[in-house]
Amino acid sequence: MSQFPFSAILAADDMALALVLTSISPDVGGVLVRGEKGTAKSTMVRALAEIMPPQRVVEGCRFGCDPDRPDVTCPDRDKHEPGATTRPARLVELPVGATEDRVIGSLDLRKALGEGRAEFKPGLLADANRGILYVDEVNLLHDHLVDLLLDAAAMGRNTVERDGISFSHDARIVLVGTMNPEEGELRPQLLDRFGLTVEIAASREPATRLEVVRRRLAFDADPGAFNARFAEAQAGLRERIAAARQRLGGVRLPDRELERISRVCAGFDVDGMRADIVTARAARAHAAWHGRAAVTRDDVRAAARLALPHRRRRNPFDAPELDEDLLDQLLGDDEPDDPGSGDAGQDDRGSEDARQDTGGSEDGGPDDGPAGESPAAESPSAPQPHEPSQQPQSERDAADQPDVAPAPQGVASAAAPYVARSFAVRGLGAGQAGRRSRAITDHGRTIGATTEQVRRLHLPATVTAAAHSRAKAPYDGRLRLQASDLRGVITQGREANLVLLAVDASGSMGARQRMNEVKTAVLSLLMDAYRKRDRVGLVTFRGSDAELSLPPTTSVEAAERCLRELPHGGRTPLAEGLLRAAQVLRVERIRDPRRRALLVLLTDGRATSGKQALGRAQRIADAWPGIGVETVVIDCETGRFRMGLARDLAVRMGAAYVPLPEVAADALVDLVDGARTDPQRRRAA
């Protein structure tokens, strides 16, 4: 299948530069590309392999050992043949749904059971050794695979200890990932393993968009002719990368520039020392790319723009960004040009020749969109909260109870989030792997064996079953298996859940700054959901109705934006809030029957909207246990004299009850287990 040329992709200069730098110096640590849909992220990464120089490998080695530095512990060391061969640069794709065996490798069962030999079958990490491992939608990668990548990236080796075998081999990979932030963020540990990061967005310039579409259509119509048109530019990039690799070892990093790097990293208050190291490596690669013999201020600036943004995040709601004015201030004044700097005037963009040949746009940048995919005219954004009703709140309240004046409205802010107590769904689920509730999952602690749906072989149980079934047959030195002997592994781990937050945003919540405390608690719960890889949704109720302010999503950033803009005021339609929550839970159960839900209701228990408001809410609460959804009621009532309505609501709903001040982890005992063992926690005072 023909690949869209790297040099033909427009207006993606930062992304092209980051990929080129990590190709020149794999020690930089890979690239994370963040951007909206339809911005050629995947196209550009896949095109990278075409411009990378070929590499020499040991003849007959499945792990691609370097003939100049062969791995003495390589499992194929006995099969190594004298001499070396050349192969194209490797770019191996890791599917989001890949199994652990496919990633790290496993015992070759065909040879183990058929020939009685224990032989290792290499996985994707072996295929990607000394090459690029590419993960599209890396933010959706399962946690157990993330752990494997972290180990390989940290150690540069892949070690397999399982099923009675022990193998280890080099896994020096360059990790490249692409993601859409709307679908959720990365775990901080994996985020820090990416040396460089790039934000990419589609261009809003009509001329650039026109050329993007023109090139895409030309490629689709005749890929061969289109590739021939850019063949010279592709060859030029390949030669320039090869020359930069040769030059890299001789590039000097003067103490003046090293001090500049340390000053910049300290000034931006980044965590750890990896930022300094990566910036230094990227600056040397940038100097080699431009033919310079020593690193200059421009090289440090270019490296810092790519290496620091994602290391400045302090919580999941902080967007990766860099204040370039502060960066220039920390860099200080420029120094005189180095006479041995080489071609310092070359454009960072790797496809300069292509633009000159084709008349493409010259003003590419991080805000422009490349041409590998046809971007839509209007990029869909993350879910936003519904706009408040056009009807004034006072009119809606008056329709319910015209003799009572409406409560004042406002928008409360939230304080810094704290570590929230972990809420879990009781019982044993079978949903998608995550970090919240106990479940039967594809990966985890082995707790048994099964004969149904054998996805991963339980070797000891299979051998035992075969031995028992043929105990009376003559033994000829071989153990013969039948289909009835196969046993699969049953593993228990943790699953991700749907966490639906139902928030009372009525006027009573604005008293005594309660809404500030409620928003802070919700923000803390969102951070907990982010760490546990849950889907989150937000139902709010105020005035005379309830609404689904945020449909269930994996993007806690969207939930945080919705929460920040949430107004409060008006009466309390508690019954409507419960009904809307039940409707959302019912729909989500149809969409994903295996994902269990957890409802977190934040209210003071008051109901003031409509006739018999409290009675209607209580009747719905009495029927709530029939829904079969784990529920937590967080009591937002404050003050010396309390009505206890939220506690009564929790008892009726069969829910766990938690006062708002006890949501913090350091102030709350184990909620769910405690609710089971201490009946008084569910009993009204």
Side-chain angles (χ1 to χ4, degrees):
M1 182 178 179
S2 185
Q3 178 65 52
F4 196 93
F6 187 92
S7 57
I9 299 177
L10 284 175
D13 292 15
D14 281 353
M15 181 176 175
L17 177 62
L19 292 174
V20 165
L21 294 183
T22 200
S23 299
I24 295 171
S25 177
D27 290 341
V28 166
V31 181
L32 174 65
V33 184
R34 300 162 43 93
E36 58 196 27
K37 298 177 288 291
T39 48
K41 300 185 297 293
S42 301
T43 300
M44 196 167 202
V45 173
R46 294 187 177 108
L48 178 63
E50 297 292 328
I51 64 168
M52 292 177 63
Q55 60 183 194
R56 297 173 67 247
V57 297
V58 173
E59 186 78 30
C61 181
R62 295 175 297 169
F63 302 88
C65 285
D66 187 347
D68 298 326
R69 293 187 303 169
D71 179 11
V72 296
T73 64
C74 176
D76 280 1
R77 59 187 177 278
D78 295 335
K79 302 177 183 178
H80 286 181
E81 300 179 7
T85 186
T86 300
R87 72 178 185 186
R90 285 287 180 92
L91 190 146
V92 178
E93 292 197 40
L94 171 60
V96 170
T99 64
E100 182 178 339
D101 290 349
R102 185 69 187 96
V103 175
I104 65 175
S106 64
L107 179 68
D108 191 328
L109 292 179
R110 182 184 299 275
K111 294 185 177 180
L113 300 178
E115 304 175 13
R117 293 191 297 115
E119 186 167 319
F120 181 69
K121 185 177 181 180
L124 295 177
L125 289 177
D127 294 341
N129 183 32
R130 300 178 59 212
I132 293 175
L133 184 65
Y134 171 48
V135 188
D136 192 14
E137 306 294 352
V138 64
N139 51 324
L140 303 182
L141 199 64
H142 290 172
D143 280 351
H144 68 281
L145 295 182
V146 170
D147 293 336
L148 296 176
L149 292 184
L150 287 174
D151 290 342
M155 305 301 296
R157 293 190 67 81
N158 175 39
T159 301
V160 182
E161 301 278 356
R162 56 184 297 179
D163 297 334
I165 63 173
S166 176
F167 283 93
S168 180
H169 64 83
D170 275 347
R172 291 181 284 121
I173 58 175
V174 174
L175 192 60
V176 176
T178 55
M179 59 174 284
N180 182 351
E182 294 178 5
E183 297 171 341
E185 285 291 348
L186 279 177
R187 279 172 53 184
Q189 297 94 328
L190 183 57
L191 182 65
D192 190 53
R193 284 295 173 184
F194 286 99
L196 311 177
T197 187
V198 177
E199 291 279 341
I200 189 169
S203 173
R204 299 312 189 246
E205 293 294 329
T208 302
R209 299 175 74 94
L210 182 148
E211 183 61 21
V212 166
V213 176
R214 180 180 290 135
R215 293 190 181 189
R216 183 74 236 190
L217 294 178
F219 174 79
D220 292 341
D222 191 344
F226 190 83
N227 278 289
R229 175 182 167 191
F230 288 90
E232 184 177 350
Q234 292 282 96
L237 282 174
R238 193 178 302 111
E239 293 172 2
R240 188 176 172 190
I241 291 175
R245 285 182 174 180
Q246 293 293 327
R247 190 182 300 117
L248 179 64
V251 174
R252 294 182 295 104
L253 179 59
D255 287 345
R256 176 182 56 196
E257 303 307 326
L258 190 56
E259 291 173 1
R260 201 190 301 268
I261 291 172
S262 299
R263 185 167 64 246
V264 167
C265 293
F268 278 109
D269 194 26
V270 297
D271 292 332
M273 295 299 300
R274 184 172 282 119
D276 305 61
I277 296 171
V278 170
T279 304
R281 290 172 175 169
R284 293 183 69 239
H286 191 268
W289 174 241
H290 285 285
R292 289 190 272 270
V295 172
T296 67
R297 178 186 184 277
D298 290 341
D299 299 318
V300 174
R301 189 183 194 281
R305 288 184 62 250
L306 300 174
L308 299 185
H310 60 302
R311 293 187 166 87
R312 300 191 63 239
R313 298 184 66 192
R314 288 298 181 268
N315 64 68
F317 310 127
D318 293 338
E321 58 183 359
L322 198 70
D323 185 340
E324 297 206 18
D325 290 337
L326 176 58
L327 174 60
D328 290 331
Q329 180 181 344
L330 292 170
L331 286 170
D333 296 332
D334 201 356
E335 68 280 352
D337 292 338
D338 185 350
S341 62
D343 185 7
Q346 283 185 286
D347 193 288
D348 280 341
R349 178 78 164 100
S351 56
E352 173 70 20
D353 295 338
R355 288 204 302 273
Q356 291 178 352
D357 292 341
T358 60
S361 171
E362 291 289 336
D363 50 342
D367 294 330
D368 297 330
E373 301 170 8
S374 301
E378 189 70 27
S379 171
S381 60
Q384 297 294 327
H386 293 294
E387 294 294 332
S389 172
Q390 297 301 315
Q391 182 185 17
Q393 182 68 45
S394 59
E395 296 180 14
R396 297 203 304 273
D397 291 342
D400 290 331
Q401 298 187 22
D403 295 334
V404 182
Q409 301 183 40
V411 178
S413 59
Y418 46 76
V419 178
R421 184 67 189 181
S422 179
F423 298 88
V425 180
R426 289 175 291 181
L428 196 63
Q432 182 177 338
R435 296 192 142 198
R436 184 171 294 277
S437 306
R438 293 189 307 117
I440 299 297
T441 58
D442 292 336
H443 302 275
R445 181 171 59 90
T446 299
I447 60 173
T450 179
T451 57
E452 300 179 0
Q453 296 182 348
V454 179
R455 298 178 181 175
R456 178 181 162 198
L457 190 66
H458 193 306
L459 188 58
T462 298
V463 172
T464 301
H468 281 303
S469 63
R470 269 159 294 291
K472 297 181 180 180
Y475 182 65
D476 60 358
R478 286 190 175 184
L479 182 64
R480 291 176 171 82
L481 297 179
Q482 296 181 358
S484 59
D485 299 325
L486 297 181
R487 299 291 187 270
V489 174
I490 301 177
T491 52
Q492 178 180 308
R494 295 277 173 177
E495 67 177 356
N497 297 116
L498 166 64
V499 178
L500 183 63
L501 300 166
V503 180
D504 181 352
S506 63
S508 63
M509 302 296 289
R512 299 184 181 90
Q513 301 298 312
R514 268 191 287 175
M515 200 62 191
N516 303 71
E517 299 176 11
V518 169
K519 283 192 173 184
T520 302
V522 173
L523 192 63
S524 304
L525 292 171
L526 287 175
M527 288 193 64
D528 182 65
Y530 161 78
R531 296 187 180 101
K532 291 180 170 56
R533 316 301 286 175
D534 294 315
R535 289 173 62 84
V536 293
L538 181 63
V539 170
T540 60
F541 49 97
R542 56 187 287 268
S544 61
D545 200 4
E547 63 180 357
L548 180 60
S549 298
L550 180 73
T553 176
T554 56
S555 175
V556 294
E557 293 82 4
E560 187 269 343
R561 290 194 297 268
C562 177
L563 177 70
R564 185 173 58 243
E565 300 168 4
L566 176 66
H568 63 269
R571 297 192 178 277
T572 310
L574 179 58
E576 287 73 13
L578 294 175
L579 289 175
R580 179 56 61 91
Q583 179 187 24
V584 173
L585 293 169
R586 183 167 53 250
V587 170
E588 291 301 314
R589 180 175 292 174
I590 295 174
R591 288 178 177 173
D592 189 353
R594 297 179 60 192
R595 186 184 292 269
R596 296 189 295 167
L598 173 68
L599 174 68
V600 180
L601 175 63
L602 293 98
T603 180
D604 57 10
R606 290 181 173 85
T608 60
S609 178
K611 297 180 179 179
Q612 299 182 346
L614 184 58
R616 287 189 297 114
Q618 290 175 340
R619 286 192 294 272
I620 296 172
D622 290 336
W624 193 265
I627 296 179
V629 174
E630 191 78 23
T631 305
V632 176
V633 174
I634 296 179
D635 188 356
C636 303
E637 189 175 29
T638 58
R640 178 177 299 180
F641 302 103
R642 305 185 183 186
M643 301 176 65
L645 295 175
R647 183 185 290 272
D648 177 71
L649 186 69
V651 173
R652 292 175 181 272
M653 297 178 72
Y657 169 81
V658 185
L660 182 61
E662 296 183 6
V663 174
D666 57 1
L668 183 64
V669 296
D670 193 338
L671 173 69
V672 176
D673 291 341
R676 287 204 302 268
T677 57
D678 184 2
Q680 295 300 323
R681 290 178 61 85
R682 290 177 175 239
R683 193 173 300 165

